[in-house]
Amino acid sequence: MPQAPIARVESGEDPYRWLERRDDAEVLAYLRAENEYLESQLQEQVPLREKLFEEIKGRIRETDLSLPSPWGPWLYYQRTTAGDEYPRYYRCRRPLGDSLETDEHSERLLLDPNQLANGGFLSLGTFSISQDHQWLAYSLDTQGDEIYRLYVKELATGTVSELPFDNCDGGMTWANDNRTLFFTELDDSHRPFRVNRYRVGEENCERVFQEDDQRFFLHCLRASSERQLLILSSSKTTSEAWALPADHPEGAWRCLAPRQEGHEYYPDHGLLDGRWSWLIRSNRNGINFALFAHDDLVAGDEKAPESQWREIIAHDPRVMLEDITLNAGAITLALRQDGLPLLEVRPRQAAPYRVQLPDAAYSLYVQDSLEFDSPLIRLRYEALNRPAQVRSLELASGRQAVLKQTPVEGPFDADDYESRRIWANAADGTRVPISLVARRDTFGKSAPLYLYGYGAYGESLDPWFSHARLSLLERGFIFAIAHVRGGGEMGEAWYRAGKLEHKQNSFDDFIACAETLIATGYTTSPNLAISGGSAGGLLIGAVLNQRPQLFGAAVAQVPFVDVLNTMLNTDLPLTVTEYDEWGDPNQPEVYQRLKAYAPYENVRAQDYPHLLVVAGYNDSRVQYWEAAKWVARLRASKTDNNLLLLKTDLDSGHGGMSGRYQSIREVALEYAFLLKVLAGL
């Protein structure tokens, strides 16, 4: 029987720090040895992995056409073809009327990522067409490190130019002259810190904005009206925006409101009462945000002082205002109440209304606002048991139509599966929502259960459909999501109750969800698998240390588990900007708080469940060594004989493998592992 690799131990506080020596021959040999050990331990699962791969692939329509988006004289769309890892990007002439039928005679291929990837990693960042439809700006990451090369393609001739700029974050924004691009540059810590102006065909660029505070990231974007460009500088707690008329790219950017610590505001530009105005989502009157308006800036204005902002939608302590979408005929509000997303439409010529939906728990958002003058927008709607739908919404009347539903090939009936929402009581009495799905004939008896969690950055884990997940549900699994504090499912207060000094609440909530699922008969500890990625990997690592006997197996994807050492190292990408989420460990009380729950620091001599850990060698957000060091310490400390496996994808980054078939193989590996280790499977 092959033996697990044993990491060399060095003296000092961090005995596995040597694994941080990127590209060192000994480190690479160790990571490859771990990969070989994983394959040896799962060798008997190879046929099952192949079966799962074929199952999942068989449910996906390999050759398909996306729903075309009308813009100007064209329809833009993507086409996937069987055997290809990536979709191709096309356009064709726009037909008369409201038809979305594509015309093969006028169809033109704009970009083929399959050719660009050439079998390797590829992530497409920006895909941006100029306003005159003559140019395509796009960016490519070929390593998985989220550093992009920039390209401009002249669509009439097919000529592609690679721009002579390194270390870019991939964002590219056109001005209305169709020749000027704004793009964002990364600093040494991988932070978007500088916005540059570039004119197509020139050798150099001009710096237009630089953010020196390491807590802040820069983004450049177009406003909904297409009349304004925006630079947004934002930290986890504060933001500041600068505007420039899109018709005058050489002009001076003007600040909409100078930053104040704790004030987050997010502007967009559109029509209000027939006048061009700024619509500004701001938390100055309350943590759940309100909506303000300010008249369009005029020549000579240096800024739009907050004292002149008019409140048009007041703060509601029960309802979170998450976003706004602007069209010429309506304002669409993305709200969140009682853990569910809601859309409220405020047409210019009709009474406000809420979008009505068929399920009790779901995911919903505006997928495409279409052209600014369009009377329609498109919504994306899905549930745990319902494949994603693209719906058109007529803004004036509220009429909906399903334009496209993601197909599930082979036998599938959504009514065979049941979605539920139940509640757990955390240690402090807080009620925590849990979303579940299973075959109807699975509920009512104890079953293997896959519990997923995240709980950070205010991100909401709204229920989503998965073709791959059906392979577990068809084998009698229940899938569940623990909506723990630290996420955004229940509003801003829910997020704040799971960050900084309150981070233990996230772990307590997840443990309470697991205990509730066991106590109510959905599963048992030996049949309970838990999973999370990135900051969700921190959640998994922490609860494994605190309550290892509660779980039968765990999967940690690109896990943020070496929290204390990472937050102490300001040379690493993104460290300083993370202080607002986790705290600054240079402060003694924060140091002790992080040390008390950091998964790597708190590994100890006890039994742990079966564990699969996956890392990306080129990951710039969570370095590969966090997973490697954690597994090494677990191997040296744990007192059981359960499987402990580490897989490092040497050619990928934070998001895993880039191709769709490559991603399916990763899922097949995870599912085969769970089917091997859970009790009775």
Side-chain angles (χ1 to χ4, degrees):
M1 175 68 67
Q3 295 297 308
I6 302 299
R8 173 167 56 83
V9 179
E10 291 183 343
S11 59
E13 272 191 34
D14 189 356
Y16 301 104
R17 185 176 290 277
W18 66 274
L19 286 167
E20 299 179 12
R21 299 170 191 161
R22 181 181 292 278
D23 298 335
D24 179 90
E26 185 181 5
V27 171
L28 287 169
Y30 174 78
L31 296 177
R32 291 190 177 103
E34 282 283 5
N35 286 348
E36 291 167 4
Y37 176 69
L38 177 145
E39 291 297 339
S40 71
Q41 294 301 298
L42 299 182
Q43 183 61 38
E44 68 200 48
Q45 305 298 108
V46 169
L48 176 59
R49 283 157 63 179
E50 191 61 29
K51 181 179 180 180
L52 287 164
F53 172 79
E54 293 295 336
E55 270 183 27
I56 298 167
K57 181 166 72 76
R59 295 191 192 99
I60 296 170
R61 183 165 294 175
E62 297 183 76
T63 298
D64 199 9
L65 185 72
S66 72
L67 190 65
S69 288
W71 182 32
W74 302 95
L75 294 179
Y76 289 88
Y77 51 94
Q78 302 171 32
R79 179 179 286 120
T80 55
T81 304
D84 286 342
E85 295 282 4
Y86 308 95
R88 293 179 174 87
Y89 294 77
Y90 293 86
R91 75 178 179 188
C92 72
R93 286 290 175 185
R94 183 175 181 173
L96 296 175
D98 297 328
S99 172
L100 296 176
E101 186 171 347
T102 59
D103 173 18
E104 63 180 20
H105 299 293
S106 66
E107 182 176 87
R108 296 291 181 269
L109 175 65
L110 303 179
L111 194 69
D112 183 0
N114 298 284
Q115 184 180 35
L116 299 172
N118 195 27
F121 183 94
L122 187 77
S123 176
L124 177 64
T126 290
F127 181 96
S128 179
I129 302 290
S130 61
Q131 296 297 104
D132 63 359
H133 302 270
Q134 299 300 309
W135 301 87
L136 165 63
Y138 64 95
S139 56
L140 300 175
D141 167 17
T142 57
Q143 302 294 323
D145 56 6
E146 299 180 73
I147 298 175
Y148 289 81
R149 300 295 303 179
L150 309 182
Y151 301 85
V152 172
K153 182 175 183 178
E154 187 177 9
L155 296 179
T157 65
T159 302
V160 176
S161 301
E162 180 177 350
L163 306 191
F165 310 116
D166 298 317
N167 214 31
C168 300
D169 84 331
M172 303 171 75
T173 304
W174 288 104
N176 284 352
D177 66 350
N178 304 301
R179 293 297 181 274
T180 302
L181 278 166
F182 294 90
F183 69 90
T184 314
E185 189 178 348
L186 300 169
D187 66 9
D188 292 340
S189 67
H190 210 84
R191 178 181 64 95
F193 84 115
R194 180 182 293 159
V195 174
N196 298 313
R197 177 168 44 216
Y198 168 74
R199 189 168 176 82
V200 172
E202 297 183 355
E203 290 293 321
N204 299 311
C205 65
E206 178 186 0
R207 181 180 69 193
V208 298
F209 194 90
Q210 180 166 315
E211 178 56 74
D212 294 322
D213 189 327
Q214 288 192 313
R215 299 176 303 152
F216 286 77
F217 282 30
L218 290 182
H219 303 279
C220 188
L221 60 152
R222 293 178 66 86
S224 295
S225 67
E226 307 286 357
R227 297 166 63 95
Q228 295 282 345
L229 304 178
L230 286 164
I231 293 174
L232 182 66
S233 182
S234 57
S235 73
K236 298 289 191 301
T237 61
T238 306
S239 65
E240 181 179 61
W242 296 70
L244 176 72
D247 289 337
H248 303 286
E250 300 294 327
W253 294 80
R254 291 177 288 185
C255 183
L256 293 182
R259 75 184 59 172
Q260 299 178 36
E261 188 63 35
H263 182 207
E264 296 178 71
Y265 73 94
Y266 303 97
D268 199 359
H269 188 257
L271 286 169
L272 182 67
D273 300 326
R275 294 183 299 175
W276 293 110
S277 302
W278 290 97
L279 283 298
I280 305 162
R281 190 174 65 93
S282 164
N283 70 348
R284 77 175 192 180
N285 286 359
I287 62 173
N288 279 345
F289 288 81
L291 188 63
F292 297 84
H294 187 277
D295 293 341
D296 210 355
L297 297 179
V298 297
D301 284 350
E302 290 301 319
K303 59 188 177 181
E306 288 180 70
S307 61
Q308 297 178 20
W309 291 7
R310 306 186 311 278
E311 184 179 78
I312 57 175
I313 297 176
H315 172 265
D316 187 333
R318 299 171 296 107
V319 181
M320 175 75 172
L321 174 58
E322 290 192 321
D323 202 0
I324 62 170
T325 299
L326 303 183
N327 295 78
I331 300 172
T332 303
L333 310 177
L335 309 173
R336 184 168 294 275
Q337 185 174 9
D338 297 329
L340 291 174
L342 306 169
L343 289 179
E344 181 174 297
V345 181
R346 300 197 169 204
R348 289 178 62 189
Q349 305 296 334
Y353 61 88
R354 293 239 174 132
V355 175
Q356 299 301 307
L357 298 162
D359 294 295
Y362 52 82
S363 172
L364 172 70
Y365 59 89
V366 176
Q367 176 174 286
D368 192 344
S369 59
L370 301 175
E371 295 158 302
F372 185 67
D373 291 327
S374 173
L376 307 170
I377 60 174
R378 289 180 182 171
L379 313 179
R380 183 180 174 92
Y381 174 76
E382 63 188 303
L384 286 170
N385 61 333
R386 190 185 301 274
Q389 299 174 342
V390 179
R391 296 175 169 228
S392 70
L393 176 71
E394 188 176 280
L395 291 166
S397 67
R399 283 194 292 267
Q400 298 182 50
V402 177
L403 300 178
K404 184 178 178 64
Q405 179 163 297
T406 303
V408 180
E409 299 292 343
F412 173 76
D413 185 344
D415 290 335
D416 290 342
Y417 305 89
E418 181 182 347
S419 174
R420 295 182 178 181
R421 173 157 287 195
I422 66 172
W423 298 80
N425 288 316
D428 62 359
T430 300
R431 297 179 74 238
V432 182
I434 309 170
S435 300
L436 304 97
V437 67
R439 284 189 59 90
R440 291 187 184 277
D441 53 12
T442 297
F443 283 130
K445 58 188 176 184
S446 181
L449 191 145
Y450 184 119
L451 178 62
Y452 188 80
Y454 187 72
Y457 304 112
E459 294 294 327
S460 298
L461 284 182
D462 291 324
W464 71 97
F465 182 84
S466 165
H467 289 74
R469 186 191 302 140
L470 294 175
S471 286
L472 290 183
L473 302 187
E474 286 299 304
R475 287 171 170 81
F477 271 74
I478 299 170
F479 175 80
I481 306 169
H483 302 286
V484 302
R485 281 174 284 184
E489 290 91 336
M490 303 283 280
E492 180 69 14
W494 192 257
Y495 164 45
R496 296 187 182 189
K499 65 182 291 193
L500 296 172
E501 69 270 21
H502 306 298
K503 190 61 199 169
Q504 182 60 41
N505 285 336
S506 301
F507 315 141
D508 291 342
D509 289 357
F510 192 85
I511 289 168
C513 289
E515 291 176 332
T516 296
L517 290 165
I518 293 168
T520 51
Y522 284 102
T523 192
T524 62
S525 286
N527 263 340
L528 176 57
I530 60 174
S531 177
S534 193
L538 162 63
L539 173 69
I540 299 305
V543 300
L544 286 179
N545 284 331
Q546 294 177 21
R547 291 289 300 279
Q549 74 284 358
L550 195 58
F551 316 108
V555 178
Q557 303 274 0
V558 291
F560 180 39
V561 284
D562 194 13
V563 182
L564 183 60
N565 290 316
T566 293
M567 297 304 295
L568 284 167
N569 188 350
T570 56
D571 292 332
L572 289 175
L574 314 183
T575 292
V576 173
T577 193
E578 293 290 301
Y579 287 168
D580 287 334
E581 181 74 18
W582 313 102
D584 178 359
N586 295 297
Q587 301 172 14
E589 70 279 8
V590 176
Y591 180 95
Q592 293 301 324
R593 186 173 74 234
L594 293 178
K595 189 174 183 180
Y597 71 72
Y600 177 64
E601 301 290 333
N602 287 280
V603 169
R604 54 185 179 271
Q606 61 180 352
D607 286 359
Y608 285 86
H610 300 282
L611 179 58
L612 170 64
V613 184
V614 179
Y617 189 68
N618 296 322
D619 191 341
S620 60
R621 301 192 194 194
V622 179
Q623 301 294 326
Y624 74 88
W625 61 70
E626 297 213 19
K629 290 167 60 178
W630 182 45
V631 168
R633 179 165 269 179
L634 280 165
R635 284 206 196 286
S637 304
K638 71 190 192 83
T639 54
D640 58 81
N641 294 317
N642 291 330
L643 275 183
L644 174 57
L645 303 176
L646 170 66
K647 182 178 188 290
T648 305
D649 290 321
L650 296 173
D651 298 313
S652 75
H654 195 66
M657 302 301 288
S658 58
R660 59 173 174 165
Y661 297 113
Q662 296 167 339
S663 298
I664 292 172
R665 291 201 178 277
E666 287 188 331
V667 174
L669 169 66
E670 176 189 338
Y671 287 3
F673 165 77
L674 294 178
L675 290 166
K676 174 183 175 68
V677 300
L678 288 184
L681 297 178

